[in-house]
């Protein structure tokens, strides 16, 4: 059991997006400081601008390492990397902002590798801006995996009443089906089981989606993908005592999971898993990268350039992401 509050690094994400706004709105909540020691990695000038936009009055305390943080309600501790210009426009794709988003995350990972923090919570980045800056990654998850040297990882999404973990994510559907194999399937089932056990669920109930309609319906649909790519992994996990069922038809499985029949669903590809979570509400969804040496959570929405700088963005998803980081971080503490 943890005896101290976890230190959570909150990365600003793309500074042209809604990240700065939702960060200051979230850290305006005194309750967050009761359960963790949060600090922001980003640009001080952008955070000041976000305070002006949101009409929030908080002190900004510039730090150079996590040990210097005040971690007091009413103050935001900010590790200023000073990477973008003061007149960086809201809501526009730029290499300047894309590079900054990458560098914020890189800095957080450095602190995690040095065990100076117990979790990372990320505001959204923009993939086009990231690529313009020369950082060719599909998203946060792949950056985190490479910079931590992690081979086996997966994206988990959490919303009220539903958790989903993905076998494949940011690749085309045909490529996804080709990449699904029993080894990857088993890895994701095991990651789901181990992650939920760490979160306090002693015997997680796991359900695995089929690839084809009706999970193939005994060979009626598809070309035997379920039997070839999914069943061997389920049988291996079951032999180890893991409570896992499937492959099951995706069109009814998410309803059953939301009803409470299962603790987590294994989705085979991006839209199969993301759709049901986002129907439950973008504002309440949390993205969790599992398998990393540190906890990482994120909002389950994008940079929302169309509303950036307008004081419209809802901070609920970020507050949920911080809460989830706190919930999962204690195992990281000595």
């Amino acid at each position: 059991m943890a005896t101290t509050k976890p230190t959570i690094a909150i990365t600003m994400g793309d500074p042209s997006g809604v990240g700065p706004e939702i960060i200051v709105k979230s850290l305006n909540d005194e309750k967050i400081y009761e359960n963790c020691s949060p600090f922001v990695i980003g640009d001080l000038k952008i955070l000041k601008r976000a305070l002006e936009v949101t009409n929030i009055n908080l002190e900004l305390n510039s730090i150079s390492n996590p040990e210097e943080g005040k971690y007091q309600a009413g103050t935001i501790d900010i590790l200023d990397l000073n990477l973008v210009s003061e007149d960086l426009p809201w809501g526009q794709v730029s290499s300047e902002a894309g590079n900054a988003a990458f560098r914020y995350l890189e800095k957080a990972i450095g602190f995690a590798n040095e065990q100076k923090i117990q979790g990372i919570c990320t505001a959204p980045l923009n993939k086009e801006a990231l690529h313009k800056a020369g950082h060719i990654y599909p998203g946060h998850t792949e950056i985190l995996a490479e910079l931590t040297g992690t081979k086996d990882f997966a994206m988990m999404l959490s919303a009220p009443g539903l958790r989903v973990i993905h076998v494949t994510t940011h690749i085309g559907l045909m490529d996804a089906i080709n990449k699904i194999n029993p080894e990857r399937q088993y890895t994701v089932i095991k990651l789901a089981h181990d992650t939920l056990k760490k979160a306090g669920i002693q015997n997680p109930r796991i359900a695995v989606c089929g690839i084809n309609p009706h999970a193939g319906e005994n060979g009626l649909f598809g070309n035997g993908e379920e039997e070839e790519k999914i069943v061997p992994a389920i049988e291996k996990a079951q032999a180890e005592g893991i409570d896992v069922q499937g492959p099951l038809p995706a069109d009814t499985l998410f309803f059953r999971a939301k009803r409470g029949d299962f603790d987590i669903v294994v989705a085979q590809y991006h839209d199969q898993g993301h759709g049901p979570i986002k129907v439950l509400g973008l504002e309440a969804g949390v993205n969790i990268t599992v398998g990393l040496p540190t906890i990482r959570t994120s909002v389950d929405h994008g940079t929302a350039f169309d509303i950036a700088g307008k004081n419209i963005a809802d901070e609920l998803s970020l507050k949920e992401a911080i809460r989830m980081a706190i919930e999962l971080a204690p195992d990281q503490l000595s």
Side-chain angles (χ1 to χ4, degrees):
M1 186 71 181
T3 56
T4 59
K5 294 185 289 187
T7 301
I8 308 294
I10 303 172
T11 57
M12 187 176 280
D14 191 303
S16 294
V18 296
E21 293 171 77
I22 61 175
I23 286 173
V24 299
K25 288 180 179 180
S26 296
L27 295 183
N28 194 36
D29 185 345
E30 295 183 5
K31 292 181 180 178
I32 286 178
Y33 289 84
E34 295 174 6
N35 299 305
C36 75
S37 298
F39 72 98
V40 178
I41 300 178
D43 267 56
L44 179 65
K45 65 180 77 70
I46 300 299
L47 214 54
K48 280 183 179 177
R49 189 169 69 173
L51 288 172
E52 293 169 1
V53 164
T54 56
N55 297 311
I56 292 174
N57 183 25
L58 295 172
E59 178 188 344
L60 297 179
N61 177 44
S62 184
I63 62 175
S64 58
N65 63 69
E67 290 86 353
E68 296 175 2
K70 292 182 178 179
Y71 303 122
Q72 297 172 349
T75 298
I76 297 178
D77 297 294
I78 165 80
L79 196 146
D80 180 20
L81 295 191
N82 192 26
L83 293 173
V84 298
S85 57
E86 193 144 7
D87 58 353
L88 182 79
W90 291 109
Q92 291 186 24
V93 174
S94 72
S95 59
E96 181 183 14
N99 180 62
F102 179 85
R103 299 302 174 195
Y104 303 152
L105 185 61
E106 184 180 50
K107 189 70 172 178
I109 293 168
F111 286 136
N113 289 339
E114 295 169 3
Q115 298 186 332
K116 290 186 175 182
I117 61 175
Q118 285 72 53
I120 299 171
C121 184
T122 59
L125 54 71
N126 181 278
K127 295 179 181 64
E128 184 182 351
L130 191 70
H131 292 183
K132 274 194 169 189
H135 305 298
I136 312 302
Y137 296 89
H140 270 117
T141 302
E142 294 78 10
I143 299 171
L144 286 151
E146 181 171 307
L147 296 185
T148 58
T150 302
K151 179 175 177 285
D152 294 330
F153 62 92
M155 177 188 290
M156 178 189 293
L157 302 180
S158 176
L162 184 63
R163 301 182 190 91
V164 179
I165 191 168
H166 292 71
V167 177
T168 66
T169 48
H170 296 114
I171 54 176
L173 184 55
M174 294 298 291
D175 292 332
I177 293 170
N178 288 333
K179 281 187 174 292
I180 296 169
N181 58 50
E183 293 74 25
R184 173 63 180 167
Q185 198 81 224
Y186 169 78
T187 293
V188 174
I189 292 169
K190 188 74 164 55
L191 285 170
H193 177 265
D194 293 348
T195 300
L196 293 191
K197 280 201 74 174
K198 284 183 179 179
I201 301 173
Q202 289 305 308
N203 189 32
R205 299 164 300 161
I206 303 168
V208 181
C209 286
I211 296 171
N212 294 296
H214 300 190
E217 201 163 308
N218 298 316
L220 184 62
F221 304 113
N223 297 295
E225 287 86 0
E226 280 74 17
E227 289 72 18
E228 175 192 346
K229 296 172 177 286
I230 300 177
V231 171
I234 291 175
E235 291 177 345
K236 179 180 179 181
Q238 288 172 338
E240 296 176 0
I242 295 175
D243 184 353
V244 56
Q245 297 182 36
L248 298 171
D251 59 355
T252 54
L253 176 50
F254 291 99
F255 167 80
R256 294 180 61 194
K258 181 71 170 65
R259 185 174 64 186
D261 294 1
F262 304 104
D263 296 305
I264 191 166
V265 173
V266 176
Q268 300 300 323
Y269 51 89
H270 184 281
D271 285 10
Q272 187 181 62
H274 278 61
I277 288 286
K278 293 190 176 182
V279 164
L280 293 176
L282 287 172
E283 71 283 353
V286 177
N287 183 327
I288 307 160
T289 306
V290 300
L292 300 172
T294 191
I295 296 303
R296 178 263 173 167
T297 65
S298 178
V299 296
D300 189 32
H301 61 72
T303 47
F305 280 165
D306 57 323
I307 62 170
K310 299 178 181 178
N311 195 21
I312 296 172
D314 192 314
E315 74 275 17
L316 180 57
S317 183
L318 182 61
K319 290 173 74 171
E320 279 295 301
I322 295 170
R323 184 190 65 78
M324 189 66 68
I326 295 166
E327 182 178 310
L328 296 174
D331 280 345
Q332 305 292 315
L333 294 173
S334 58

